[in-house]
Amino acid sequence: MRYDQTLTIKKPQSRRRRSFSKRRKNSNASVPTSDQWKSWKPMQFCAVEDSRNGERIIFRTGENILVLNHDWFPNEHYDLCDSWVGKIVDIRGNSPRNTWVIVQWYFSGKDIAEHEKAQKAGGGVGKGTSSYGKFERSLSQDRQVISTLSINGKAIVVDYDETAPLQEPISSECFYTRRTYNSLFGSVMPAFDPSIACRCKRHYNPDEADLMRFCPRDGCRHWCHESCLRENGFVSNKSPDERTQDFLDLPQAQVGRIPPDLLRLACTSIVKGGPTHGVAGNVKVVCEAREWVRLYASTPSSECRPGLLLRDITLDRWLDGLDGVEVEDLIYPDDESYFARKKVQTEAESLPYVCSHCEKPI
């Protein structure tokens, strides 16, 4: 599964995103009073008409939404990352054309920096926000009543765990969140963990061009910038065969049992960052490929390896869900010596880096 941004319902807008502090300044004068709000019954959902085709889009409490800036004009372009993003907490109104929602705002890194500056909180202006990507958001305690006419579509906001080996890929134009923001005390939670940062102590910003490599081994679960690995000499001088064995922690005799395409995928470096690799990178597919490799390596040749299951699916079904891998390229001969005779093409030559902790290939 890949997480993608979905469903905008207004025509494209223009202008840069207004800062967070100006949201309230631009609030509509007809916002219901507290007494009016209490007099209206809560609704389970509301409907907003798509201006492009007249279809009614249903929004429910708990869903994340895109919200229009008040100074954006129709029929002009705007960047999706400049949208306001909020979570619907409550829906009320007295008619379909007078329906309002309470949104709980997601803050961008710029929002947090501005809020800390205004509140003089957090021990400094924008402390810790330099690692925020343009699509990164943190859910705050700040809430506001807005008209449903300001809703511009549904937003997907994906939880991103930097230490999870099976983190799903995240589209380059999908909102994601790693932490929450306490707007009352000016604190980001959980706090930035130096143990998962690179040796340079810079936290990961997906928008930076400096790619990061991951070591998924127990006791590591550690990301490093390629530039830091290179500058500090964490480069392997082993042969490709030795690196393949170190990648998989398997002896050469067992490496020979692995289907070539699966072996090549399992020996791919785990990389994230930049426009090519995306926010979460290829960590899930490579870690799962290495699980398949260990399963194949531990299975005697007399057993039917094509029938092996990992999480109740076969290898060919797993490969069906991957981009750029042809299932037909995998061969399942009865004689395991075939794999030993077949020359295995790996990418070890182009993957010279080693982990700064365990010094295994990454």
Side-chain angles (χ1 to χ4, degrees), residues 20-89:
F20 174 78
S21 62
K22 295 182 180 178
R23 292 176 187 170
R24 296 193 180 280
K25 294 178 183 179
N26 283 277
S27 58
N28 195 309
S30 61
V31 171
T33 65
S34 177
D35 289 340
Q36 285 178 313
W37 185 266
K38 292 177 182 178
S39 69
W40 295 338
K41 292 183 178 180
M43 301 178 179
Q44 294 183 346
F45 62 88
C46 62
V48 179
E49 185 177 293
D50 189 331
S51 62
R52 295 169 298 188
N53 54 28
E55 293 184 0
R56 296 169 73 247
I57 308 299
I58 302 300
F59 296 87
R60 302 180 185 277
T61 55
E63 289 188 326
N64 296 314
I65 57 173
L66 304 173
V67 180
L68 290 171
N69 272 281
H70 292 279
D71 63 344
W72 281 352
F73 297 109
N75 304 319
E76 295 185 21
H77 174 75
Y78 74 94
D79 293 327
L80 181 62
C81 62
D82 289 330
S83 297
W84 291 338
V85 183
K87 180 187 290 289
I88 298 177
V89 177

Side-chain angles (χ1 to χ4, degrees), residues 174-214:
C174 180
F175 293 101
Y176 61 94
T177 181
R178 289 183 280 185
R179 50 189 70 89
T180 60
Y181 178 64
N182 189 321
S183 49
L184 299 177
F185 298 99
S187 59
V188 172
M189 296 297 293
F192 290 87
D193 185 356
S195 68
I196 64 172
C198 179
R199 61 186 293 114
C200 67
K201 306 304 180 185
R202 283 189 296 131
H203 292 280
Y204 171 53
N205 184 335
D207 298 342
E208 293 180 352
D210 195 357
L211 304 181
M212 299 195 79
R213 300 277 186 114
F214 184 61

Side-chain angles (χ1 to χ4, degrees), residues 259-296:
D261 288 345
L262 178 59
L263 180 61
R264 183 170 61 251
L265 182 57
C267 290
T268 300
S269 287
I270 299 173
V271 187
K272 68 177 180 179
T276 302
H277 299 283
V279 175
N282 61 353
V283 59
K284 183 175 187 290
V285 63
V286 176
C287 285
E288 286 185 336
R290 294 180 186 181
E291 289 186 71
W292 277 110
V293 161
R294 288 190 288 271
L295 184 60
Y296 265 75

Side-chain angles (χ1 to χ4, degrees), residues 5 46 238 241 243 259:
Q5 186 61 49
C46 62
K238 292 185 176 181
D241 286 343
R243 283 179 55 78

Side-chain angles (χ1 to χ4, degrees), residues 334-352:
D334 295 329
D335 182 5
E336 73 173 4
S337 65
Y338 172 86
F339 292 108
R341 295 195 306 268
K342 184 176 177 64
K343 182 179 180 180
V344 176
Q345 299 293 330
T346 72
E347 298 180 1
E349 295 85 352
S350 62
L351 306 173

Side-chain angles (χ1 to χ4, degrees), residues 213-217 222 224 229 243 247 269-270 290 351-356 358 360-362:
R213 300 277 186 114
F214 184 61
C215 181
R217 297 172 180 85
H222 188 74
C224 291
L229 294 171
R243 283 179 55 78
F247 254 121
S269 287
I270 299 173
R290 294 180 186 181
L351 306 173
Y353 299 113
V354 296
C355 175
S356 60
C358 67
K360 291 291 186 71
I362 58 174

